[in-house]
Every structure is written in C-alpha cells, then in structure tokens.
Amino acid sequence: SAEAVATLARVERAPIGTVLIREGEPADSFYVIASGTVHIERQGQFVRSMSDGGFIGEIALVEGTARTATATCATDCELVEFGSFEFGRLMARFPDVRARIDAAVVRRPHEDE
C-alpha cells in the first residue's frame, strides 16, 4: 500500500535544476518521482526523460555499483527518496515493486540508471 511505502521514506521537493544523482558517485539511495520530470544524461549526452512513477538510481543499488548516469530535475519535482536500508525492506515487502525493478534492471543493462 502507498501508506506502507510512505512509512519507509519521505517526500522531498526539489526545484528545477536540482542534480539528484551524479554519474560516477557511490550509490546510497534511490528515488521514485512523485511528480515532475527528470532528465537522465550519460557522459553529457541526454538519454531520456522520466516522469511520475519513474524510478531513478535503482540499478546502482541493486548491483552495488557507482551511478551510471546523472539525473537532473527538468521541472520542479516531488520525489520519494529511499535509502539502501529502506530499499531492501521495500524489495522484501512489495514483490510487485521488486518485479518492476528487476524487470527495469534487465531491460536497461547499464544503459541508464
């Protein structure tokens, strides 16, 4: 349920231009976009934009690697941030979320974060 997810995380407002994750940095959290649009870049090249409901930063957490891309708010955003501990609990507790993340990891092998 949304309430159970909410107990594990907090919604943060991030103004346009905020860099959420930076390519090459260690990963300790991931984000779900509650509202707004986030642009993903790799090596300075635009990869794609993501909006409401998108996950950002899960691949590095799942695989224990550094960030594979940079994510910047293209609009004012509201994001739900999960630390690695909450991420583990989320994956254990919500198999449907886990399935979505696993599918995303398989679908996007290192091509974006």
Side-chain angles (χ1 to χ4, degrees), residues 3 32 37 45 64 73 75 82 87 93 100 111-113:
E3 297 78 40
V32 177
T37 301
Q45 300 293 310
C73 293
T75 64
F82 293 88
F87 179 75
R93 230 165 125 178
R100 279 177 68 187
E111 148 242 341
D112 43 55
E113 172 59 283

Side-chain angles (χ1 to χ4, degrees), residues 14-25 30-31 33 37-50 54-58 67-75 77 79 112-113:
I16 183 170
T18 303
V19 177
L20 300 171
I21 63 176
R22 212 177 281 280
E23 191 171 357
E25 289 188 349
F30 93 111
Y31 298 90
I33 303 167
T37 301
V38 174
H39 282 180
I40 309 297
E41 291 184 348
R42 175 161 301 98
Q43 296 170 353
Q45 300 293 310
F46 175 77
V47 178
R48 68 209 195 97
S49 64
M50 301 182 75
F55 293 115
I56 308 165
E58 77 282 358
R67 298 297 191 193
T68 61
T70 296
T72 307
C73 293
T75 64
C77 291
L79 302 138
D112 43 55
E113 172 59 283

Side-chain angles (χ1 to χ4, degrees), residues 46-110:
F46 175 77
V47 178
R48 68 209 195 97
S49 64
M50 301 182 75
S51 55
D52 306 15
F55 293 115
I56 308 165
E58 77 282 358
I59 291 178
L61 272 188
V62 170
E63 300 186 349
T65 54
R67 298 297 191 193
T68 61
T70 296
T72 307
C73 293
T75 64
D76 290 346
C77 291
E78 288 191 331
L79 302 138
V80 185
E81 180 179 4
F82 293 88
S84 47
F85 173 71
E86 291 91 351
F87 179 75
R89 285 176 60 187
L90 183 73
M91 295 282 268
R93 230 165 125 178
F94 300 100
D96 54 327
V97 173
R98 176 168 200 140
R100 279 177 68 187
I101 291 174
D102 287 345
V105 169
V106 168
R107 196 166 62 242
R108 314 202 303 254
H110 304 288

